[in-house]
Amino acid sequence: MTRENHLMKVSAQEAHEATNTLEKLRCLILTKGYDSVLQFGKLLRRHEREDKHAVTKEELSDIIKEYGVEFSEHEVDELFSTFDKEDVGIINCEEFLIKLRPEMSDERKHVVEEAFNKLDGSEDGVISLEEIKSRYDSSRHPKVLSKEATEQDIIMHFVTNFEGGVHPDGKVTKEEFMDYYSGVSKSIGDDEYFTTVVKNHWIL
């Protein structure tokens, strides 16, 4: 069983045992794999109100349904109320996504930010898919070493995680980069190993 498949299986079990609606939604999203938080985040940002970067409860409910996870209206009500503490009828999308991401240790966040900053030569908070293709080192990927896949296969799969899903734009923001690696991080228990994986891929 791959790490990703293990993540999906464990997340399904944890969803049944979740003690609050945010934790349950996080687990249900992770049952779709490494890039699930990234893809859910893209979907949420596509629906957000541009003037406020926010969504209503009804919009959040529609987004969860569109993403394809089972979540009751009662659970949406409970989840929404935890973020809409002042009862204004909207919640901030970035605040919501920050809480939704699986938590990473400071050490893990640091190495992911280091990788993103290396790619973001213009320091504008956005990197292109072409930059990712040209700098992602897949030669030490386990599937390449075992000859299950070629380096090009791995690169294209990685890029597709960012380009796929809803309305691809050819650009990756820091938030999207963090969303992706939060899913990867959830599947790796050891900080040192996670750090090694990221450093090897981006030659840090």
Side-chain angles (χ1 to χ4, degrees):
M1 179 182 293
T2 67
R3 286 181 180 274
E4 185 170 24
N5 287 337
H6 181 70
L7 167 68
M8 295 162 69
K9 182 179 179 179
V10 170
S11 295
Q13 179 62 38
E14 290 180 345
H16 289 293
E17 302 169 355
T19 57
N20 61 67
T21 52
L22 179 64
E23 182 183 353
K24 181 176 181 179
L25 180 60
R26 181 191 299 120
C27 291
L28 289 172
I29 288 172
L30 286 168
T31 62
K32 294 181 178 287
Y34 283 156
D35 70 334
S36 56
V37 178
L38 167 67
Q39 298 305 335
F40 184 84
K42 284 187 173 185
L43 185 59
L44 184 67
R45 293 180 183 105
R46 179 163 67 88
H47 284 273
E48 71 181 7
R49 299 171 177 226
E50 293 184 6
D51 57 333
K52 296 182 182 296
H53 299 290
V55 293
T56 65
K57 181 170 64 177
E58 291 72 22
E59 289 166 340
L60 179 61
S61 178
D62 289 343
I63 290 164
I64 292 172
K65 287 177 183 176
E66 185 177 343
Y67 193 70
V69 298
E70 294 291 331
F71 214 63
S72 71
E73 290 303 314
H74 173 72
E75 288 171 326
V76 173
D77 289 343
E78 186 177 326
L79 176 64
F80 193 86
S81 65
T82 63
F83 287 89
D84 185 23
K85 291 183 172 55
E86 297 180 6
D87 198 26
V88 295
I90 57 174
I91 60 172
N92 181 274
C93 291
E94 287 308 319
E95 289 179 6
F96 180 74
L97 285 169
I98 287 171
K99 294 292 186 181
L100 183 66
R101 286 178 194 148
E103 189 172 350
M104 289 192 285
S105 67
D106 288 342
E107 181 180 352
R108 296 186 186 210
K109 288 178 184 176
H110 177 75
V111 74
V112 174
E113 288 174 348
E114 184 182 354
F116 183 87
N117 292 337
K118 179 178 180 179
L119 292 166
D120 183 20
S122 60
E123 299 183 354
D124 62 353
V126 176
I127 54 180
S128 72
L129 291 171
E130 288 305 315
E131 286 177 307
I132 288 180
K133 287 180 185 178
S134 66
R135 300 185 188 185
Y136 183 73
D137 181 9
S138 59
S139 65
R140 285 176 281 186
H141 192 281
K143 287 189 176 181
V144 173
L145 295 175
S146 65
K147 298 184 179 180
E148 295 176 64
T150 66
E151 291 183 42
Q152 184 65 15
D153 290 337
I154 298 300
I155 292 171
M156 292 310 299
H157 177 72
F158 183 79
V159 169
T160 299
N161 287 326
F162 292 98
E163 187 68 299
V166 294
H167 293 274
D169 57 9
K171 298 177 181 178
V172 180
T173 65
K174 185 174 183 178
E175 290 75 19
E176 290 172 339
F177 203 73
M178 295 295 290
D179 287 346
Y180 174 75
Y181 273 107
S182 69
V184 176
S185 174
K186 180 68 174 177
S187 72
I188 298 176
D190 183 70
D191 280 355
E192 184 176 352
Y193 181 67
F194 176 82
T195 299
T196 299
V197 168
V198 177
K199 285 187 173 182
N200 283 346
H201 285 167
W202 301 109
I203 318 176
L204 299 179

